[in-house]
Amino acid sequence: MTICAVSVENPAGHRSSMRRGACPSLATPMVTGDGLLVRLRPAKPGFALGELIAVADAAEICGNGILEVTARGNLQIRGLTAATVPLLASKIADAGIGVAEGLAIETPPLAGLDPSEIVNPLPLAAQLRAAVAEHRPPLTLAPKLSITVDGGGHLHLGGVTADIRLRAVCVGGKTLWQLALAGTEATSRRVAFLDESAVLAAVLTILKTLAATGVSARARDIDAATLRASLASMADLDAVERVEPAPNSAGIHNLGADRAALGVGLAFGQIRSRDLRIFLEALQIFGATEIRLAPDHGLMVLGIVADRVAAAQALALGHGLRAFPGDPRNDIAACAGIGACASALIDTRAVAQAVIDAAPSLLDGSLTVHVSGCAKGCAKPSSSALTITAAPIGYGLVVNGPASAAPNAYIEEKTIRSAMERLEALVRQRKRAGESARSCLTRLGAEVITAAVQQG
């Protein structure tokens, strides 16, 4: 199903968007299959524990009680109505929660706390936000345009797609900022290595170019060669190797000085608001003070007394959350699915569970299986080793591609489990000693994978 590019004025005075590419917010909630959806980005790096409890309470009263953390680490509240969105906004304000609007400028979940960071990225991110907010005339930019500012720590944002990428690097003993355009760390186009003093002007130049091009312009529309020629790079563009994808945030992360953060993830990106509240109230007993949202549908819990982090981790698992690096659910990216999204045509969570049950050998941490309700691929816009999406006969399987790609194989709805069992058997039988599931599938190739899932 294709979403039409329309916005609807409702009786409460806000506009509800159905336009693909729009970002749902308190001012412009999005129409979905289960009502209106609002996305919240906190103005601070995270929520105080009491603030997130207030959000959970508001979601229960104003929505259908379902909360999500997106693949980019944004909080979504589902099942709202035109009448309850203003009430939600009021409750958010009453709780003293500042909400970021406009251009998304994202930092890693442990920014300013990670002892492996080259530099704390929060001050530069704050300067960029202020410069964009104060620019006159105001910059009119594409709704989903984003910037990542990454200090180069353990839980970096290399796997997050962004229009403008800034990453701290060390070259010749000097700290520089790598500027790149359009994509993830692996796919973006490098432009320059800059001193911090030159970053603000360079980014504003890009944003002004995009604003002048049109409201739908994205960084992929920028001529990288022309931009490179206008900037004085402090190092060769190949001076620094591209970083490997960051590990999943689930687990315990050492912050030094007897401090640790506990990363937990929502199972398939969702949680009931009352379940979140119960979990957060239990965390208070362990001394938790702050929750930061993390990519891959995660929550980073801060402030837990060091000798109680392991107990809090066990508590999270007991509440159905992903709390350990080896949890197979870490390797599944699933969107909301049919019934929650107007575009979705399949029950994504049921399919995800079928993959976990029938093909555990695939989920060894080396790859992500993306389950998408439609070709938009909201849960993981970039390519995955395996993507299962909706197709006229049931499901399409894309090998090494995004949900929008033409499927390599088609699977009938009633045979999805047996197809995954055959894929599981293929990997178990053909995997070499020490080889990961991803490496095995890459070596076997799309033709062999297609034959395996379609046989019988």
Side-chain angles (χ1 to χ4, degrees):
M1 181 183 297
T2 301
I3 295 182
C4 301
V6 297
S7 293
V8 180
E9 188 80 42
N10 59 55
H14 57 260
R15 297 182 68 82
S16 301
S17 176
M18 291 187 69
R19 178 170 58 84
R20 184 177 179 182
C23 282
S25 65
L26 284 169
T28 57
M30 179 172 285
V31 178
T32 64
D34 58 354
L36 299 179
L37 178 145
V38 160
R39 183 176 300 159
L40 298 180
R41 286 187 289 117
K44 299 181 298 183
F47 295 96
L49 212 64
E51 291 176 343
L52 195 52
I53 289 174
V55 172
D57 288 343
E60 186 73 23
I61 294 168
C62 303
N64 60 9
I66 295 177
L67 289 166
E68 296 175 329
V69 175
T70 69
R72 299 186 71 90
N74 292 314
L75 184 65
Q76 294 187 160
I77 300 172
R78 304 194 69 96
L80 301 162
T81 68
T84 61
V85 170
L87 178 61
L88 174 67
S90 176
K91 289 183 174 295
I92 296 296
D94 290 346
I97 300 170
V99 178
E101 299 286 353
L103 177 63
I105 300 177
E106 301 168 327
T107 53
L110 293 178
L113 302 173
D114 186 345
S116 68
E117 280 182 331
I118 296 171
V119 65
N120 178 1
L122 294 177
L124 179 57
Q127 291 175 35
L128 287 170
R129 290 190 188 96
V132 173
E134 295 166 4
H135 191 275
R136 294 295 177 270
L139 296 170
T140 302
L141 301 165
K144 287 196 173 184
L145 192 131
S146 64
I147 300 174
T148 55
V149 185
D150 196 325
H154 176 59
L155 292 180
H156 59 78
L157 299 180
V160 175
T161 301
D163 289 85
I164 302 172
R165 308 189 62 83
L166 294 166
R167 177 166 74 92
V169 296
C170 284
V171 181
K174 187 173 184 179
T175 298
L176 300 174
W177 287 93
Q178 174 188 288
L179 172 64
L181 296 178
T184 63
E185 167 72 17
T187 63
S188 60
R189 296 169 292 161
R190 288 185 176 180
V191 174
F193 289 94
L194 303 173
D195 280 324
E196 185 167 324
S197 60
V199 169
L200 194 60
V203 172
L204 283 176
T205 295
I206 296 169
L207 294 178
K208 286 189 284 188
T209 299
L210 292 172
T213 304
V215 70
S216 62
R218 304 292 294 270
R220 58 178 174 262
D221 304 317
I222 294 282
D223 185 332
T226 300
L227 182 60
R228 287 189 194 105
S230 71
L231 297 172
S233 182
M234 303 297 293
D236 184 83
L237 293 183
D238 296 321
V240 178
E241 292 185 2
R242 295 185 185 270
V243 293
E244 293 296 317
N248 191 279
S249 59
I252 297 174
H253 303 273
N254 179 30
L255 301 181
D258 295 324
R259 297 177 303 142
L262 173 62
V264 301
L266 308 189
F268 310 136
Q270 287 190 346
I271 191 170
R272 300 292 311 188
S273 55
R274 57 178 175 272
D275 294 335
L276 178 61
R277 181 190 177 95
I278 292 170
F279 174 61
L280 294 174
E281 289 175 339
L283 284 178
Q284 290 179 317
I285 300 172
F286 294 95
T289 56
E290 181 183 351
I291 304 288
R292 292 190 180 184
L293 305 177
D296 296 323
H297 318 285
L299 304 172
M300 199 63 59
V301 186
L302 304 175
I304 300 175
V305 179
D307 61 2
R308 307 197 73 184
V309 175
Q313 186 178 32
L315 172 76
L317 184 64
H319 281 267
L321 295 164
R322 299 181 286 109
F324 291 84
D327 192 318
R329 295 173 297 176
N330 293 339
D331 302 325
I332 302 280
C335 66
I338 195 168
C341 176
S343 297
L345 301 173
I346 62 174
D347 185 342
T348 53
R349 282 158 177 74
V351 174
Q353 191 60 53
V355 174
I356 291 171
D357 295 341
S361 292
L362 297 178
L363 307 176
D364 63 355
S366 66
L367 58 80
T368 297
V369 178
H370 178 197
V371 184
S372 183
C374 72
K376 289 190 297 180
C378 296
K380 193 175 185 296
S382 57
S383 294
S384 294
L386 295 171
T387 297
I388 301 171
T389 188
I393 67 167
Y395 310 101
L397 178 68
V398 179
V399 180
N400 288 323
S404 58
N408 298 91
Y410 290 94
I411 305 167
E412 292 184 10
E413 184 174 0
K414 63 183 179 181
T415 63
I416 182 65
R417 184 174 292 270
S418 60
M420 291 300 103
E421 289 172 347
R422 290 192 293 273
L423 192 53
E424 158 80 4
L426 175 70
V427 171
R428 278 192 291 102
Q429 294 165 8
R430 305 285 291 274
K431 189 164 68 169
R432 296 170 178 171
E435 192 174 40
S436 69
R438 185 184 186 92
S439 295
C440 177
L441 292 174
T442 300
R443 175 173 55 81
L444 295 176
E447 289 187 10
V448 174
I449 295 168
T450 296
V453 299
Q454 290 187 325
Q455 70 182 7

